[in-house]
Amino acid sequence: MNRAVVIASAVLYLALLFFIAWFAERLLKRKSVNLTQHPTIYALSLAVYCTAWTYYGSVGRAAKGGIEFLTVYIGPTLTCILFYPLLLKMLRISRRERINSIADFVAARYGKNFTLGIIVTLCCVMGIIPYIALQLKAVSSSYLILTHQHAMPGPGDTYKDTTLYVVLLLGLFIMLFGTRRIDVSEKHAGLVSAVAFESVVKLVAFLAAGIFVTWGVFDGFADIFSQAAAQQQLARLFTISGDGGYGKWLVMLLLPMFAMVLLPRQFQIAVVENTDESHLRKASWQFPLYLFLINIFVLPIALAGLLVFQGGTDPDSFVLALPLHFRQSWLGLFVFIGGFSAATGMIIVETMALAIMMSNHLLIPLLLSVKQLRPRQQAGISRQILFTRRFSIVLVLGLAFFYDLFVAASFSLVSIGLISMAAVAQFAPAVVGGLFWKQASKNAAIAGIVTGFLVWLFTLVVPTLTDTGLLPASIRSAGLFGLSFLRPDALLGLQLPDLLTHSFFWSILLNSGVYISVSLFSRLSEQEKIQAAVFVNILRDQPGTVWRGTAAMKDLKVLLHNFLGSDRANNLLQAYAQRHQIDMNKDNADPRVVLFTERILSGVIGSASARLLVRSVTKDEQIQVEAVLNIAKESQQVLELNKELKKKSVELTKASELLQHANEQLRHMDVLKDEFLYTVTHELRTPLTSIRALSEIIHDNPDMEDDMRQHYLASIVRETERLTHLISSVLNLERYESGRQKLHIESVHLNKLLQDVVASVQPLATENQVQLSYHSPDTMYVLQCDEDLIRQVVYNLVSNALKFVPPGRGRVNLRLHHGYDEVQIWVEDNGKGIEPGLHELIFDKFFQARNQTLKKPEGSGLGLAISRRIIEMHSGRIWVESKPGEGAKFVVALPFS
Amino acid sequence: MKKILVVDDDPYILMSLEFLMKKNGYEVMIARNGEEALDAVEKLHPDLVLLDIMMPDVDGYAICRHIKSSKKLSDIIVVFLSAKTKEADVKKGYDLGAALYISKPFSTRDLMKSVKELLQPTQS
């Protein structure tokens, strides 16, 4: 096929990737639609697991080992299904701790250890650069096959240029969509969307090839299998061959299981880029389904290739070679694009993941430790971090490119994928152990990983190098330094069927062994304890609730002491421990105690500050209790200020309430005053009307009879008196109410006072034909009071009674009664009585005036109000007892003292 | 001869009004409270009522309402004489159909002039 067409297609395809990534980012920015929030996109992006190595290589493996190739896919499938809780745990931890790579994860678990981050990063770089190179090689060789250049061209030839261009374009892509933000725990929506798209492309392309071979070249599955079965050396491919043994099977199963989460790109996609935990659940069937689909035609294609080419072509290229062999160049192009997408997807994610690790764990620490390079401003830092990350991308791609260019040419790359997986599998003990075992220590993780990695290097990489002559072959045959137990393919003389199994067995065995034994003998630092608790307990932590991590008991105690005083803090803790049967003597506080502490502190300084404080003891790196206490002291000062402010504000509120109340009272009094004035003037109008009318009549009628004139004049005089009485009443009342009236307290002889009153009203009673009676008791009542005022009250009551009884048969009786600690003056009448509902109201000013039905022709309407006021001034009481129709009894009660 | 009913619970006011109306040649009837007033209105059908508002039993407003709502009585001219001087009270009086609302204390001359005017049209 024409090279230009192939290259143009590849470039167009990359352009499409750019567009998709750009579109996804734009959608997110403009419309807040996040494509990666769809669970299927997540599952598809996970399929970045299927690289060009699987795309081409699994057919090759199937052609050699039969259905054994499937184990590489059964592993991840099992991981998805069986290790759901483990993955969930990693997701939660990574979100909470803002973890952004596998190196970060391991380092964070072991007390945020610096060295571990570097070690993991170095292992990844060494183990995975060849893997990236393999992808480049897959691109270039598929390109060669497609363009019929089977010969291996030397450096500088066009196909290498093509690889270079691919590398450059991919580098640009990763920089554009992978380094948009400095915070790497931010998601890359565009990049992930593009990767998901690539997964679709490679699946469809592979299926297309499979369908073409199965039904286009042959007559369906049955045809291929029966034809293959007819040839003896092909028939063995249908069964699991015995020569690898179950050990090999197990390794081939376990390796991909680890790789599924430990490979930097898988960790990046599965954990860092995950937007929603629930996606994991869906992916746990969608991703295996994807693997099933992409593998369904592997065996048919392998068998078809063997049948068609009869050993004349590399099985790794069957997928591409078969369509080309049958002159289906467009299908060939599509298959090439599929392989291209598998390769680029892997390169993009892997490079980004590695670049993040390199910049964060190697370059940035280096940058910050070199004084001259340290930027002075914040903006400078972020620019430098971005630059470092981009530089790392260039470095990773450059290393892969040169590895492909110089190293790859000299030896086989076939099992590079598995070798890479074996490298990252060395993190498995540290990661899995770290998730479940609190005692696991930082030193153990370092020792385990280093041991495992060295064994990996010696048993897998060294043999490859001796095979290609880069190292002396004697190492392999006679052992390192001539020591036979140090033969890379048979450590301690143990012979295993293949290098990979042998290497995996020894590396994992020694790695785990070292890890466990060092852990058992380690004393954990505070920081390690804290992180261990975070990782191990993460699922017990309910989302949305407060932090429940673990902290050192003494830190919590110090916190509580600072806020509550040591006595109270100890009491509280003791009581809590007893109630929940918690051992308080352990170094590590029970999570419940942490929660309890936070609750207690919340009560003191508010929940936000409490969380901040408790979290700072439970989580942050070596943040020391002193720093915490500074926060504590500051917040206590703020707290005190707050308290002061609160107090002031309460005072102010109170004052304003008082003012408001006073204001209301004033307003109410104002209304009352208006009402009172209106009533007074109204009351004044009636006598005035009579006076005016009568005077005018007398004036206008000089010819009036003398008797009548006399009568009219007398009426005018009476009405004038009424007016005068009213006015003086009003003035009196005003004087009593304002408190301006001073009491002239003296010893008053009550018996005599009553006698005087009776004597003074007797004429009126006689006039009204009312029987007025008073029997002075034998006891003499002498009281300290204002004689004039009390007399006025009694006079009021008696003259009122006289007015309200029917003339002729009316009776008014006056009495002195000895109460418990008071003397009572009773004024009883046989009038028509007063309704119970009015017993209180009649003491109001102008009650009569405002209640027309009770209006009486005489009286100011102020008498009872004035009486009540006077009695109250003497600390006494005045009330009425009455039933309608049965007369009324007014009682004045005056205390003896 | 025109009949005038004077309603008031104050004996001196009643006394002066009775004198004035008689002096001016009207037939005068008096009522000392609401009950008496209602009774008098029904039985004697006066041409004009001088009506106080604040009374012990039935108030002046109620009497006016009774007069104006009865077909038989609605032609009776109602003149309020009251110590209630608030605007709202005056308005209420007019709303109930009073011809005039005179505040106490009043000028006897003005009162007579008004009464004469009110009774004029039917006289001629």
Side-chain angles (χ1 to χ4, degrees), chain A residues 112 527 530-531 612 615-624:
Chain A
K112 306 205 168 170
Q527 190 62 37
I530 289 163
Q531 289 302 96
L612 176 82
R615 284 199 72 143
S616 59
V617 210
T618 52
K619 199 187 130 234
D620 281 5
E621 33 222 299
Q622 319 276 299
I623 183 175
Q624 290 2 288

Side-chain angles (χ1 to χ4, degrees), chain A residues 593-608:
Chain A
V593 179
V594 180
L595 195 63
F596 175 71
T597 307
E598 188 179 315
R599 263 207 318 270
I600 296 290
L601 288 179
S602 294
V604 184
I605 51 173
S607 64

Side-chain angles (χ1 to χ4, degrees), chain A residues 371-679:
Chain A
K371 266 202 181 121
Q372 289 83 351
L373 293 177
R374 199 178 299 162
R376 278 182 195 86
Q377 293 133 1
Q378 191 62 37
I381 290 185
S382 55
R383 245 207 322 278
Q384 235 167 3
I385 289 176
L386 265 188
F387 172 77
T388 314
R389 196 151 297 143
R390 286 177 180 157
F391 174 73
S392 304
I393 291 169
V394 172
L395 198 65
V396 170
L397 283 175
L399 280 173
F401 179 71
F402 286 107
Y403 189 92
D404 178 40
L405 198 61
F406 299 113
V407 187
S410 46
F411 64 94
S412 153
L413 289 177
V414 179
S415 47
I416 279 286
L418 285 171
I419 293 175
S420 286
M421 286 183 184
V424 294
Q426 303 312 318
F427 309 141
V431 168
V432 178
L435 285 176
F436 298 99
W437 192 33
K438 278 194 202 171
Q439 180 59 33
S441 76
K442 165 195 78 187
N443 289 338
I446 294 176
I449 290 174
V450 170
T451 308
F453 195 73
L454 288 176
V455 173
W456 168 82
L457 210 61
F458 185 63
T459 55
L460 264 185
V461 182
V462 169
T464 327
L465 297 179
T466 55
D467 285 357
T468 53
L470 288 171
L471 283 173
S474 63
I475 295 179
R476 187 154 186 193
S477 51
L480 191 62
F481 314 123
L483 300 167
S484 63
F485 65 92
L486 283 184
R487 276 174 54 200
D489 50 359
L491 280 180
L492 300 179
L494 181 73
Q495 293 269 4
L496 282 173
D498 68 319
L499 278 176
L500 188 71
T501 313
H502 174 261
S503 169
F504 185 78
F505 171 78
W506 279 114
S507 61
I508 293 295
L509 181 75
L510 293 174
N511 182 337
S512 315
V514 167
Y515 175 74
I516 291 169
S517 45
V518 174
S519 287
L520 286 175
F521 291 102
S522 295
R523 245 197 112 236
L524 297 185
S525 72
E526 289 309 303
Q527 190 62 37
E528 281 180 81
K529 280 185 212 162
I530 289 163
Q531 289 302 96
V534 172
F535 276 56
V536 175
N537 295 333
I538 190 91
L539 289 187
R540 277 183 235 162
D541 221 3
Q542 275 151 26
T545 63
V546 284
W547 173 248
R548 284 205 216 169
T550 297
M553 196 60 227
K554 68 170 169 36
D555 290 351
L556 288 182
K557 273 187 181 159
V558 171
L559 262 188
L560 281 176
H561 286 187
N562 262 275
F563 282 96
L564 303 172
S566 50
D567 288 348
R568 178 128 188 267
N570 285 337
N571 286 345
L572 279 171
L573 282 173
Q574 219 101 57
Y576 186 80
Q578 258 170 15
R579 220 174 26 248
H580 294 89
Q581 299 182 322
I582 297 167
D583 181 9
M584 289 303 222
N585 295 323
K586 279 193 283 189
D587 281 353
N588 258 354
D590 188 285
R592 285 171 292 175
V593 179
V594 180
L595 195 63
F596 175 71
T597 307
E598 188 179 315
R599 263 207 318 270
I600 296 290
L601 288 179
S602 294
V604 184
I605 51 173
S607 64
S609 312
R611 183 175 295 191
L612 176 82
L613 273 180
V614 172
R615 284 199 72 143
S616 59
V617 210
T618 52
K619 199 187 130 234
D620 281 5
E621 33 222 299
Q622 319 276 299
I623 183 175
Q624 290 2 288
V625 185
E626 274 160 59
V628 174
L629 287 186
N630 281 337
I631 301 174
K633 271 171 197 148
E634 265 171 40
S635 29
Q636 204 169 24
Q637 280 164 5
V638 170
L639 192 75
E640 268 157 23
L641 277 174
N642 263 342
K643 239 193 230 160
E644 203 60 35
L645 274 174
K646 214 178 212 171
K647 220 168 86 191
K648 285 271 183 275
S649 138
V650 168
E651 278 168 13
L652 271 175
T653 313
K654 248 185 213 158
S656 100
E657 265 168 18
L658 275 176
L659 272 175
Q660 207 175 342
H661 185 68
N663 195 21
E664 251 162 48
Q665 233 171 3
L666 272 177
R667 223 173 323 151
H668 182 63
M669 278 164 70
D670 215 31
V671 170
L672 282 182
K673 190 145 195 158
D674 277 354
E675 211 173 294
F676 179 70
L677 276 177
Y678 176 72
T679 317

